[in-house]
Amino acid sequence: MLKRTQKFVLIFLIIYFLMITWQFFIAAKSEAGLIPLKGKAVDISVMLFFSIQPNGWNENIINLVILLALVPIFGAGLLIYFKNNNMFSAVQQRIGYHGFIKAGIIRSFIIGVVFSLITNLYQLALINLFYYPFFFKTRPIKLYIGARPGYFSTNQLIDLCSYVILSAIGWGIFAVLIFSIGLFVSKNSIYLVLGPCVGLGLTLLSFIISLGNEFLLFLSYLWFPFAVLAPGQFALDSRLPPINSYLLFILVALLYLLLAAYLIKLWQQKRKLG
């Protein structure tokens, strides 16, 4: 069983990183005309990095769906499998409900953070090695808003670091949320697609509600998953977030954590009542 699982993990990791590499070379080819002939220092590498992020002009929805699925599966998939099968009683006797929940939260968060960091660092390495070396500068505010809808900073180095760090934390929080929902899922096959279903479902709901007035726009951003998964990248229905992007990240992250805590508490009470 362990060898089969290891093969499964290895195959999907290879497929995932091949998809990322393919996405990069497609994007680099489409933006090749921006590379200066005489080696002039320009900021095209930063622009290419954000172009392959969610909602970027070179994004790949397949990569996104794969990541939405892999992070929860690799994080707590094995624990959910134990819960849904006869092995759960043995796990519960050995570590108890508290240990089971603690392991699920920690593993989910760490895997989410690590997956996001590795993905973004790999993309940065590909760009630096095979496209153009990174060069950072401060861009005019108007130009920056025009390039990316929900911005953090007009300094590209600070913005790049903010995005990579916050996105990693956001993926960890999202993975914890999926784990908490997965506690109520009795079918392993459903958990395999739970990440994409929840992520894309919340995204669709946010886009629909954002079509209303300013208050509804604010509400739609509060549960919008990409406010934490890809902070600063989206403007719902071409309408900017009504609050600062840093504050929006904090609010959505807190909402997801509170919801996860409530679901975990509810599941524990349900198990105790039999």
Side-chain angles (χ1 to χ4, degrees):
M1 180 63 183
L2 182 59
K3 290 183 178 180
R4 289 181 59 188
T5 302
Q6 290 176 339
K7 289 181 180 179
F8 171 83
V9 170
L10 181 60
I11 290 172
F12 271 87
L13 285 176
I14 292 174
I15 293 174
Y16 175 64
F17 282 102
L18 285 177
M19 292 291 294
I20 292 177
T21 306
W22 175 73
Q23 179 193 16
F24 158 72
F25 281 108
I26 293 296
K29 182 178 179 180
S30 67
E31 305 295 332
L34 298 177
I35 299 178
L37 297 177
K38 297 183 179 181
K40 181 182 178 182
V42 292
D43 57 353
I44 56 175
S45 294
V46 178
M47 294 172 60
L48 182 64
F49 172 76
F50 283 114
S51 80
I52 58 179
Q53 302 306 304
N55 200 46
W57 57 91
N58 287 310
E59 73 169 333
N60 187 324
I61 189 65
I62 298 177
N63 285 359
L64 178 59
V65 172
I66 292 176
L67 189 57
L68 285 169
L70 290 185
V71 166
I73 293 173
F74 289 170
L78 188 59
L79 293 174
I80 297 298
Y81 177 82
F82 287 153
K83 177 187 71 71
N84 293 335
N85 293 273
N86 295 329
M87 294 88 82
F88 181 65
S89 58
V91 175
Q92 190 271 332
Q93 291 176 4
R94 188 171 70 251
I95 63 176
Y97 286 118
H98 179 74
F100 174 81
I101 293 297
K102 182 179 179 181
I105 293 174
I106 293 176
R107 291 182 186 182
S108 296
F109 184 79
I110 290 177
I111 290 297
V113 170
V114 170
F115 249 92
S116 178
L117 284 176
I118 291 178
T119 298
N120 285 329
L121 292 176
Y122 180 63
Q123 291 171 333
L124 291 171
L126 287 174
I127 293 171
N128 193 66
L129 291 173
F130 299 107
Y131 183 65
Y132 197 80
F134 280 90
F135 175 76
F136 301 101
K137 65 181 180 180
T138 300
R139 304 183 69 193
I141 294 179
K142 291 183 179 180
L143 178 62
Y144 202 81
I145 294 175
R148 289 178 57 221
Y151 61 93
F152 286 108
S153 164
T154 57
N155 183 300
Q156 289 185 322
L157 177 59
I158 296 175
D159 186 57
L160 184 64
C161 293
S162 298
Y163 176 83
V164 171
I165 294 172
L166 291 179
S167 178
I169 296 173
W171 276 100
I173 292 172
F174 180 77
V176 173
L177 175 64
I178 298 302
F179 167 69
S180 69
I181 298 174
L183 293 173
F184 296 90
V185 174
S186 59
K187 299 290 185 180
N188 295 320
S189 57
I190 296 178
Y191 188 77
L192 294 178
V193 296
L194 188 60
C197 289
V198 173
L200 299 180
L202 287 174
T203 300
L204 179 61
L205 182 62
S206 294
F207 271 105
I208 293 174
I209 296 178
S210 70
L211 300 176
N213 55 32
E214 290 299 317
F215 178 71
L216 291 177
L217 176 66
F218 174 72
L219 288 181
S220 65
Y221 270 110
L222 283 182
W223 57 68
F224 185 48
F226 290 99
V228 291
L229 299 181
Q233 289 297 103
F234 279 81
L236 289 172
D237 192 35
S238 300
R239 299 164 73 183
L240 292 172
I243 57 176
N244 179 276
S245 294
Y246 285 110
L247 179 58
L248 178 63
F249 177 91
I250 294 173
L251 290 178
V252 177
L254 286 176
L255 178 63
Y256 282 7
L257 289 175
L258 288 174
L259 178 58
Y262 171 76
L263 291 175
I264 290 171
K265 188 69 174 179
L266 185 64
W267 181 79
Q268 287 179 310
Q269 292 175 348
K270 182 180 178 181
R271 298 294 300 189
K272 288 179 181 179
L273 293 175

